[in-house]
Amino acid sequence: MCSSDLRKNSYRQFDFDNFKFIAEELFITCIAIMLNHQDFEGATYLLRSNFYTEKLNVNSDESTIPFCQFKSHLDSFDNRNQRLQLRRVSLKADKLKERCKEISFYYLMQADFVMYLRHLVLRNRGSDYRYFWYPDTLVYFSSHHKPFQLFAHAESRSFFDQIKPIFDINSKEDLLFLCESSNPRENLIQLGSGNYFEPKRLIGYDKLCSIT
């Protein structure tokens, strides 16, 4: 076998990270735009759908996967962070923010958080532990911020009724259960300041459905 054949049939650990990053970026952006334009039906459809894929490994016969598979840990970012001693909390979040041109980065963070809550729905149903979604972008979310706009609007009961299909819930209490359903350590979101935030605060739970 010639050297060109060896190169063609081998790959490094980081070779596909760019494709994984772009796929995740496109999916988050799509959900962010839908939520911002109040296309809750479209967002719900995508977050409930399974997507076709090649076999994940030789021992798996899966052909469809939930949206969580768009979330990937990218070793190339870790490598760069360590090699250049950048000491960044998340280079992936930095790059997502840098490339966010079509929509305010705030709405990208909001979508990232919504998808985090949606992944908890899957985990509560016993879905494969591999399907995990962590909201990397929230390292840019300040502890002084108010609840995300989507949930601030959900002070109105009628608006809450519009968004609840995204999470397959019937009441605000169901949403609270969702926020508190996983391991307490897993259910704290790290902010860029090094502090941790409870999802309950990000949804403004106490004011949900307070206006009829």
Side-chain angles (χ1 to χ4, degrees), residues 109-126:
M109 290 192 293
Q110 177 174 258
D112 210 6
F113 177 63
V114 166
M115 288 149 70
Y116 168 76
L117 293 178
R118 178 65 199 180
H119 110 272
L120 292 177
V121 174
L122 299 179
R123 296 191 76 182
N124 286 343
R125 291 175 179 172

Side-chain angles (χ1 to χ4, degrees), residues 62-83:
E62 291 178 297
S63 59
T64 62
I65 53 174
F67 77 93
C68 302
Q69 194 65 19
F70 285 104
K71 173 67 70 174
S72 297
H73 179 80
L74 305 181
D75 291 324
S76 56
F77 282 133
D78 290 342
N79 179 269
R80 179 177 175 81
N81 208 9
Q82 294 171 11
R83 178 168 50 85

Side-chain angles (χ1 to χ4, degrees), residues 41-204:
E41 184 176 347
T44 300
Y45 175 80
L46 286 181
L47 295 176
R48 285 181 174 178
S49 295
N50 280 0
F51 300 87
Y52 176 78
T53 182
E54 296 290 337
K55 289 185 178 180
L56 298 181
N57 58 62
V58 294
N59 298 315
S60 173
D61 59 358
E62 291 178 297
S63 59
T64 62
I65 53 174
F67 77 93
C68 302
Q69 194 65 19
F70 285 104
K71 173 67 70 174
S72 297
H73 179 80
L74 305 181
D75 291 324
S76 56
F77 282 133
D78 290 342
N79 179 269
R80 179 177 175 81
N81 208 9
Q82 294 171 11
R83 178 168 50 85
L84 300 179
Q85 298 183 356
L86 300 175
R87 296 186 177 90
R88 300 297 298 168
V89 176
S90 173
L91 281 183
K92 183 198 280 188
D94 293 345
K95 185 59 67 174
L96 286 168
K97 187 174 189 297
E98 175 188 326
R99 289 166 53 90
C100 187
K101 307 296 184 183
E102 302 301 321
I103 191 172
S104 167
F105 186 68
Y106 173 89
Y107 295 113
L108 212 68
M109 290 192 293
Q110 177 174 258
D112 210 6
F113 177 63
V114 166
M115 288 149 70
Y116 168 76
L117 293 178
R118 178 65 199 180
H119 110 272
L120 292 177
V121 174
L122 299 179
R123 296 191 76 182
N124 286 343
R125 291 175 179 172
S127 293
D128 197 308
Y129 70 92
R130 290 172 298 171
Y131 302 142
F132 184 80
W133 191 279
Y134 186 82
D136 299 285
T137 59
L138 263 62
V139 298
Y140 280 100
F141 194 86
S142 167
S143 59
H144 301 295
H145 274 113
K146 299 176 182 178
F148 278 115
Q149 184 182 90
L150 183 75
F151 299 100
H153 286 318
E155 291 181 7
S156 163
R157 181 175 296 277
S158 62
F159 191 90
F160 179 84
D161 288 341
Q162 293 180 59
I163 68 170
K164 66 185 185 182
I166 297 174
F167 311 106
D168 287 344
I169 58 174
N170 295 312
S171 67
K172 61 178 286 186
E173 290 76 20
D174 292 339
L175 189 57
L176 177 63
F177 175 79
L178 193 62
C179 288
E180 298 180 341
S181 61
S182 64
N183 184 297
R185 286 181 63 86
E186 294 178 350
N187 215 29
L188 293 176
I189 299 171
Q190 185 176 9
L191 306 179
S193 60
N195 297 322
Y196 288 83
F197 222 53
E198 293 179 297
K200 178 182 176 180
R201 294 180 61 189
L202 294 178
I203 65 173

